[in-house]
Amino acid sequence: MSDGLNIARIRAYAVAPAQAPPVRYTGRDDGFVQMNVEVVRLTLQDGSEGTASSFSGWLVSDGGSVVREIGRLAGDVLGESVAHRAALTEVLLESAGEGPWPAISIIDGAMWDAYARSAGLPLWQLLGGYRACIPAYASTPAHLTIEAYLDDVRRFAAMGWLSSCT
């Protein structure tokens, strides 16, 4: 008997956002990397959807590598219940060895998101959170000059990212 929490569909996408400029991850002039966003969208039998994402294109992972791994793992999670998401993730990790940990991670995140949405709660409340607002932390790509960091801060401030929780 199904309670609607079984995973009915998994879709994965690799996106190289055109508006995302290449970034540098060190303070040295050692080149830029174009990051890709890899997204998983998991649908439950009750219609609830959960999403999660990861980046690829840095170090050894190429664009689409996480999506390809999700394709290989999909058969292991389809039909399974997100009510047992921790145990399911543990099984995936145990069988992965040195394998597809970024793919398992975003599948796990999407299962948590779908479970919370099915329960009609934001995930932070499902996990026991009690505040409506928390201060956020963000980082920037590595720049070669202080002025480049200041440009980021000015841009983030203009977008409202630096407002505080009260």
Side-chain angles (χ1 to χ4, degrees):
M1 181 173 164
S2 172
D3 55 6
L5 296 177
N6 289 13
I7 300 169
R9 183 176 181 188
I10 298 176
R11 290 166 286 171
Y13 310 90
V15 182
Q19 69 273 23
V23 294
R24 177 186 336 251
Y25 281 92
T26 71
R28 298 182 305 271
D29 191 10
D30 55 358
F32 290 87
V33 176
Q34 177 65 49
M35 296 299 289
N36 302 295
V37 180
E38 308 227 15
V39 180
V40 67
R41 190 172 186 180
L42 187 143
T43 306
L44 304 182
Q45 287 177 335
D46 73 359
S48 299
E49 289 191 331
T51 59
S53 65
S54 179
F55 293 104
S56 63
W58 184 50
L59 295 177
V60 296
S61 64
D62 61 325
S65 61
V66 176
V67 166
R68 287 189 296 278
E69 292 295 346
I70 289 169
R72 287 190 270 280
L73 295 169
D76 295 336
V77 296
L78 281 171
E80 298 293 330
S81 175
V82 294
H84 308 291
R85 63 206 166 279
L88 181 54
T89 298
E90 189 64 32
V91 167
L92 291 173
L93 288 170
E94 286 174 2
S95 65
E98 294 296 318
W101 289 19
I104 294 169
S105 176
I106 65 172
I107 289 171
D108 180 68
M111 287 192 295
W112 277 97
D113 188 33
Y115 185 74
R117 289 174 189 267
S118 182
L121 294 171
L123 182 57
W124 64 270
Q125 271 186 341
L126 182 78
L127 295 173
Y130 59 91
R131 294 184 179 123
C133 181
I134 59 171
Y137 166 82
S139 60
T140 68
H143 296 296
L144 296 178
T145 67
I146 297 296
E147 190 58 37
Y149 285 105
L150 293 173
D151 288 343
D152 276 352
V153 170
R154 286 188 279 272
R155 189 175 76 246
F156 299 151
M159 295 167 61
W161 290 10
L162 302 181
S163 60
S164 63
C165 287
T166 55

